[in-house]
Amino acid sequence: MASKAYTVLGMMSGSSLDGLDLAICRFRVNTEVEWTLEDWEILASSTDPYPPQWRARLRTAPVLPGRELWRLHADLGTWIGRRAAAFLADHPQYPVDLVGSHGHTVFHDPDLKFTTQIGDGAAIAAEMGLPVVTELRGADVAEGGQGAPLAPLADKYLFSAYGAFLNLGGIVNLSVRQSDGTYLAGDVSACCQVMDRLAQKLGHDYDAGGHLAAGGKLAPAVTPPLDALDYHALPYPKSLDNGWVTETVWPLLKNADAEPRDVLHTFVRWLAGKIHDDLLGAGAGAGHSRDAVQTEVLCTGGGAHNDFLISCLREAATKAESGLRFVVPESTAVEFKEAALIALAALLRSAGRPNALASATGAPFDTVNGALFLPTKPVVAG
């Protein structure tokens, strides 16, 4: 059997602006008959927090004039390249073949056929002296897909023991394996972006462990405006733009006639119910599954550390007798699933193989996404 190991650095900048997630992954691939992933592992990982000035620059990106946005694109690429090079220098025992960088999403409007992730791949390649894959959504959008979520690629190849998945990031998305092996997926609603903003109104950067939300009480008037949002009634697959969170959801909660702690408590309970119901609608749960796997929901992303959110999800499943079991894996998988996903997507792109699943994005077929930047000269360490 012809198999080869590839070592790939994957990098993810999430919508909650915590920082840059980096994961060095090793993939063993069999290429004898068809591209088959035999096994994989995360060799080293880290989160490089954004300094305050970078967080501020990225937060203003959607309203920058074109020239300034393109400058930010170049500057971010240089910063990512330097931080990634420093990370690799700390792990010389893992020489990397390829780099994948998602970049930071500024705009995402697949209905108008565009999506924008900044962080110039050419600048990253120049700083690192390695081939770099970026722009991992564009081909899918050009073919009529949502360009999101990308997570089902990892669900299929890296976490196939499970049949249903939640990525509890700035925006929460789900994916559920169907009986034919395809994945139905999409963005559910706002998640950590909103919870962080509410926590900040209470003097905290974020709601560690969900303790702030757990200490609140239900404010019933908060939820009807959320239920009334048109997006929440759309069928899957579907995807969200960060602007929808800040311009549509956040004003409803920021201006709610209730204490911030109670708004946070109510939002988390509402979100858990919405996620649970959407999972059932997508085919998860005891009433739909062909085997026990579809009842286990793998939870990753920053929100998986929110004990109150996870407890509310489990409470919703118990109340509905749906059979769903929400599983939070060990910490590395929780925190670096998306970085590993980007590493895998970059590897598939370098092999000319599809790295976005049509069943998850709504495109007419699986697409090969990504721009490959080659360094003009290698960077010599030290």
Side-chain angles (χ1 to χ4, degrees):
M1 182 176 291
S3 63
K4 182 177 179 179
Y6 299 89
T7 305
V8 186
L9 171 65
M11 299 186 286
M12 182 70 189
S13 172
S15 56
S16 53
L17 293 176
D18 327 6
L20 181 69
D21 290 339
L22 306 100
I24 302 173
C25 303
R26 179 174 293 150
F27 303 102
R28 182 164 295 279
V29 177
N30 173 18
T31 57
E32 189 173 58
V33 178
E34 186 176 351
W35 199 96
T36 304
L37 183 63
E38 295 180 339
D39 60 57
W40 76 285
E41 60 181 324
I42 295 177
L43 302 173
S45 57
S46 179
T47 296
D48 199 337
Y50 282 125
Q53 65 270 29
W54 267 108
R55 196 172 294 181
R57 289 186 73 184
L58 292 173
R59 191 170 284 121
T60 62
V63 297
L64 290 177
R67 181 183 178 88
E68 289 304 308
L69 178 60
W70 215 239
R71 178 184 173 185
L72 178 58
H73 172 62
D75 289 351
L76 181 60
T78 299
W79 185 84
I80 289 173
R82 289 176 180 172
R83 300 310 302 158
F87 174 69
L88 294 186
D90 290 338
H91 302 282
Q93 70 273 36
Y94 302 129
V96 164
D97 306 305
L98 178 69
V99 176
S101 177
H102 175 270
H104 186 77
T105 298
V106 179
F107 306 115
H108 182 72
D109 195 335
D111 291 341
L112 295 179
K113 293 290 185 77
F114 73 88
T115 184
T116 306
Q117 287 76 43
I118 60 172
D120 185 16
I124 299 172
E127 292 293 333
M128 301 188 69
L130 290 166
V132 174
V133 176
T134 61
E135 302 178 33
L136 287 162
R137 300 181 187 270
D140 184 86
V141 170
E143 293 294 348
Q146 293 287 305
L150 299 179
L153 186 73
D155 302 339
K156 176 180 179 179
Y157 285 105
L158 307 184
F159 299 96
S160 58
Y162 296 88
F165 306 83
L166 288 177
N167 179 43
L168 299 163
I171 291 170
V172 55
N173 57 63
L174 61 77
S175 63
V176 178
R177 187 169 63 232
Q178 307 296 293
S179 59
D180 60 0
T182 62
Y183 287 76
L184 183 61
D187 293 335
V188 179
S189 191
C191 188
C192 292
Q193 285 190 62
V194 162
M195 294 191 291
D196 289 352
R197 285 171 180 255
L198 289 168
Q200 288 155 17
K201 293 187 74 171
L202 295 165
H204 300 261
D205 288 338
Y206 63 98
D207 186 8
H211 297 301
L212 296 174
K217 60 181 183 295
L218 204 62
V222 169
T223 59
L226 295 171
D227 288 327
L229 293 175
D230 291 342
Y231 176 84
H232 290 144
L234 295 176
Y236 288 89
K238 56 183 178 178
S239 65
L240 284 169
D241 177 74
N242 290 326
W244 182 84
V245 176
T246 57
E247 297 166 14
T248 303
V249 177
W250 175 237
L252 297 177
L253 301 175
K254 180 179 68 173
N255 301 321
D257 186 19
E259 292 298 315
R261 192 183 302 267
D262 297 338
V263 176
L264 179 58
H265 176 95
T266 305
F267 175 75
V268 172
R269 284 197 172 278
W270 172 85
L271 182 62
K274 177 63 175 167
I275 290 169
H276 177 268
D277 291 349
D278 281 18
L279 281 167
L280 294 183
H288 297 278
S289 62
R290 268 58 59 182
D291 52 60
V293 169
Q294 258 72 7
T295 65
E296 289 193 338
V297 185
L298 184 69
C299 303
T300 58
H305 294 298
N306 188 310
D307 296 336
F308 183 63
L309 174 57
I310 298 299
S311 71
C312 288
L313 287 166
R314 290 169 175 162
E315 181 182 315
T318 299
K319 184 176 180 180
E321 299 183 347
S322 63
L324 291 179
R325 293 194 297 120
F326 294 91
V327 179
V328 179
E330 53 87 22
S331 181
T332 301
V334 168
E335 296 175 10
F336 297 101
K337 177 187 175 185
E338 287 185 296
L341 157 67
I342 299 306
L344 174 63
L347 180 60
L348 286 163
R349 165 61 183 85
S350 71
R353 301 202 53 92
N355 55 7
L357 306 182
S359 64
T361 68
F365 47 80
D366 295 348
T367 51
V368 180
N369 293 256
L372 175 62
F373 295 90
L374 302 177
T376 55
K377 61 180 179 180
V379 173
V380 180

XYZ file of all heavy atoms in Angstrom, residues 231 233-238:
60
model
N -33.788 34.812 9.126
C -32.733 33.819 8.883
C -33.024 32.518 9.612
O -32.781 31.424 9.077
C -31.364 34.362 9.330
C -30.264 33.329 9.181
C -29.628 33.142 7.962
C -29.899 32.509 10.247
C -28.649 32.171 7.812
C -28.929 31.539 10.109
C -28.300 31.377 8.883
O -27.337 30.409 8.737
N -35.573 30.924 10.134
C -36.572 30.047 9.513
C -36.098 29.461 8.181
O -36.796 28.626 7.590
C -37.874 30.816 9.306
N -34.931 29.886 7.692
C -34.443 29.392 6.405
C -34.001 27.943 6.517
O -33.493 27.509 7.553
C -33.268 30.251 5.919
C -33.557 31.716 5.592
C -32.263 32.435 5.234
C -34.565 31.820 4.452
N -34.145 27.168 5.439
C -33.694 25.771 5.474
C -32.174 25.678 5.332
O -31.523 26.599 4.825
C -34.396 25.155 4.257
C -34.544 26.302 3.298
C -34.796 27.518 4.153
N -31.619 24.559 5.777
C -30.198 24.275 5.572
C -30.005 23.686 4.184
O -30.908 23.045 3.660
C -29.708 23.293 6.634
C -29.603 23.917 8.011
C -30.698 23.908 8.877
C -28.433 24.526 8.432
C -30.610 24.485 10.139
C -28.335 25.103 9.689
C -29.427 25.078 10.535
O -29.337 25.662 11.779
N -28.795 23.922 3.587
C -27.632 24.650 4.078
C -27.809 26.164 3.990
O -28.503 26.660 3.100
C -26.503 24.177 3.166
C -27.177 23.800 1.891
C -28.531 23.268 2.280
N -27.189 26.870 4.928
C -27.241 28.329 4.954
C -26.032 28.831 5.739
O -25.432 28.080 6.523
C -28.540 28.819 5.598
C -28.791 28.301 7.006
C -30.141 28.775 7.533
C -30.435 28.233 8.929
N -31.718 28.734 9.463
